[in-house]
Amino acid sequence: MNTLIFTVAAYLIGSISFAVVMSRAFGLSDPRTYGSKNPGATNVLRSGSKKAAIATLVGDGAKGWLAVWLAQYLGPQYGVEDGGVALVAVAVFLGHLYPVFFRFVGGKGVATALGVLLGLNVWLGLATLATWLVVAYAFRYSSLAALIAALFAPFYYGLLFGADEKLFAVIVMSMLLMFRHSKNISNLLAGKESKIGGKAAAAAPAVKAKKKK
């Protein structure tokens, strides 16, 4: 029962869409209405507000970390074991992808996945983040960096800890993240994917239109 409570709580935490919350707080247009229409930090950056994008990135990452931290460090006293932590990890990630508070329209999960990995183990998260940074710096594609980092995350976990229930959770998250990036994969193959910072002004008309009302 306690494992179920932790899992449901994790899903609800994950369902807080910081892209929408921060856009409202900064007086910006809903990120689901412009650019890629993805409620995530990269799309919020297209509004032209770096502060809102950073706040979104931190918030989405923090909720993944918090849910796993609670399960991993407070859960054992309530009978939540490794299998329960694995469920919590997947639940908070699913909450971000399909948030109950926002009609199940969520983001692609990159920041939240990183938060989950950092919650599971700091070195695991840092290794995955380093992979993202290297690929993003080399190729300037956020989506490509996310896909490659997602491929390497289970490998890093297995290398550090071997095979267990939490490795299964990391694999599931990686598969879901790649599924959510299916359109980006098509765009990359077709040479149509936008580079980091390449369309920063894409949301400007929507924001200006809102201010005129």
Side-chain angles (χ1 to χ4, degrees), residues 34-38 42-43 45-46 108 132 136 139-145 181 183-202:
Y34 63 78
S36 65
K37 295 182 172 58
N38 174 61
T42 300
N43 200 40
L45 184 60
R46 293 189 173 98
K108 295 179 181 177
W132 188 95
F139 299 99
R140 308 299 297 174
Y141 289 111
S142 176
S143 56
L144 179 62
H181 280 77
K183 183 177 180 181
N184 301 90
I185 294 173
S186 298
N187 288 339
L188 284 166
L189 293 174
K192 298 179 180 179
E193 184 74 351
S194 60
K195 292 189 175 183
I196 296 174
K199 292 185 178 180

Side-chain angles (χ1 to χ4, degrees), residues 45-197:
L45 184 60
R46 293 189 173 98
S47 70
S49 175
K50 292 182 179 179
K51 290 182 179 179
I54 292 172
T56 298
L57 181 67
V58 172
D60 283 343
K63 69 185 182 184
W65 173 85
L66 177 63
V68 173
W69 183 86
L70 289 173
Q72 194 151 247
Y73 292 98
L74 299 182
Q77 60 186 300
Y78 297 103
V80 178
E81 300 179 348
D82 284 353
V85 174
L87 287 174
V88 164
V90 174
V92 69
F93 188 66
L94 284 173
H96 179 79
L97 301 186
Y98 307 102
V100 66
F101 303 132
F102 297 93
R103 299 181 181 180
F104 303 101
V105 179
K108 295 179 181 177
V110 177
T112 302
L114 176 60
V116 169
L117 296 177
L118 287 169
L120 291 173
N121 181 268
V122 173
W123 294 112
L124 170 65
L126 290 178
T128 306
L129 174 60
T131 302
W132 188 95
L133 289 172
V134 169
V135 178
Y137 179 79
F139 299 99
R140 308 299 297 174
Y141 289 111
S142 176
S143 56
L144 179 62
L147 289 165
I148 294 178
L151 285 172
F152 273 88
F155 169 75
Y156 292 145
Y157 186 95
L159 189 65
L160 289 169
F161 309 107
D164 59 16
E165 295 96 331
K166 288 183 279 189
L167 172 59
F168 177 74
V170 174
I171 292 173
V172 169
M173 285 196 304
S174 295
M175 293 176 64
L176 286 170
L177 191 146
M178 287 187 279
F179 169 72
R180 294 287 286 186
H181 280 77
S182 56
K183 183 177 180 181
N184 301 90
I185 294 173
S186 298
N187 288 339
L188 284 166
L189 293 174
K192 298 179 180 179
E193 184 74 351
S194 60
K195 292 189 175 183
I196 296 174

